Amino acid sequence: MEKLILYHGTPDKIVVPTFGLGDDKHDYGRGFYLTESVELAKEWAVCRPNEDNGWVHKYELDTDGLKILDFQEKNVLCWLAELMKHRDAADTKRYRMLAQKFIEKYGLDTSKYDVIKGWRANASYFYIAKEFVRDNIDVDILEELLLLGGLGIQYCIKSRLAYSKLHEVQGELSVVKYDEFNEKYNSRDVAARQKMRDLVNSDANKVTNVFSALFER
């Protein structure tokens, strides 16, 4: 039996993880999102521009018997396809048509999993996604770009079984100061975007194995 210690950063002091709740437009759809990194959880707790302090809740997840899909073990295109199911990288007709083809080719059936683990698509991710669907980024540098983004790894609790194995650690609730951690969040994003732009504009980006070309094979 393996137990994971996970953190949930949020503006809310009181949180009750509940099966069936959540937003379909989040990275992996409806679910409850956490991370193993308490520092990232602190940043995510105050990433909104409202100047309110946030909270970090500490949880224990008993993974015994759970089916966990780890997108780090899959092709990065599979991860992008999952995001395209829930989030739009562009609002053009071309994107909508190609995104559906992309999902059909690279998407995975995630319905049989209790937990999904993978990168968190923050603001810097959308820079990559938009440039990728515009055919400005070669697949060969895609994963390196994502790592530069410092996206962080998150867990999404999906099934009723997984919710039943998630328990908040009492007495471990901590407040997050907006002024300190919102600045860290923004600084990380600014630095990530600059590193990404540098790589996209470098000779390493051949711009031959691009988004639309993936459907020609």
Side-chain angles (χ1 to χ4, degrees):
M1 181 185 300
E2 181 184 356
K3 292 186 177 180
L4 289 175
I5 296 298
L6 300 171
Y7 302 91
H8 178 72
T10 174
D12 302 317
K13 186 175 182 179
I14 298 175
V15 172
V16 181
T18 305
F19 174 73
L21 296 185
D23 191 337
D24 288 328
K25 293 186 178 180
H26 283 164
D27 297 353
Y28 308 129
R30 194 170 296 184
F32 187 68
Y33 290 79
L34 310 104
T35 175
E36 289 184 274
S37 169
V38 66
E39 291 302 307
L40 281 177
K42 289 177 180 178
E43 292 183 21
W44 297 348
V46 291
C47 62
R48 296 169 179 79
N50 57 13
E51 301 190 12
D52 292 336
N53 290 340
W55 301 89
V56 167
H57 298 256
K58 183 177 180 180
Y59 289 87
E60 188 175 80
L61 176 66
D62 177 5
T63 63
D64 189 37
L66 295 183
K67 294 179 180 177
I68 301 176
L69 171 60
D70 187 349
F71 272 108
Q72 292 177 286
E73 298 174 353
K74 306 294 182 181
N75 187 302
V76 68
L77 299 179
C78 297
W79 176 72
L80 281 174
E82 181 64 22
L83 293 184
M84 285 181 183
K85 294 177 187 177
H86 309 288
R87 309 188 68 168
D88 293 328
D91 57 6
T92 63
K93 180 179 178 181
R94 172 184 177 274
Y95 170 74
R96 288 193 296 272
M97 293 177 64
L98 289 181
Q100 190 54 47
K101 291 182 180 179
F102 190 86
I103 291 168
E104 289 171 3
K105 184 167 184 176
Y106 296 102
L108 301 175
D109 178 8
T110 62
S111 63
K112 60 185 176 182
Y113 291 96
D114 302 296
V115 179
I116 297 178
K117 177 185 178 184
W119 294 286
R120 179 182 190 265
N122 62 10
S124 57
Y125 150 78
F126 281 98
Y127 166 72
I128 306 173
K130 288 176 181 177
E131 291 302 299
F132 181 56
V133 301
R134 289 170 181 158
D135 287 348
N136 292 332
I137 290 178
D138 198 291
V139 170
D140 293 343
I141 67 164
L142 197 53
E143 190 158 358
E144 185 178 353
L145 274 174
L146 291 167
L147 294 175
L148 286 177
L151 301 180
I153 298 300
Q154 63 183 355
Y155 290 75
C156 179
I157 307 301
K158 298 292 288 185
S159 71
R160 194 181 297 274
L161 176 62
Y163 275 91
S164 73
K165 290 175 169 285
L166 182 72
H167 303 286
E168 184 161 6
V169 180
Q170 299 304 312
E172 295 285 342
L173 178 66
S174 59
V175 66
V176 181
K177 299 296 184 183
Y178 179 89
D179 290 344
E180 179 181 358
F181 286 94
N182 181 264
E183 184 176 341
K184 288 185 177 182
Y185 175 82
N186 290 328
S187 296
R188 181 196 299 272
D189 188 59
V190 169
R193 290 191 200 213
Q194 185 57 56
K195 291 177 183 176
M196 290 171 171
R197 280 192 287 269
D198 290 343
L199 181 55
V200 169
N201 292 327
S202 74
D203 291 340
N205 187 17
K206 306 297 184 186
V207 203
T208 52
N209 192 15
V210 293
F211 180 62
S212 60
L214 295 172
F215 310 110
E216 297 171 1
R217 300 170 186 170

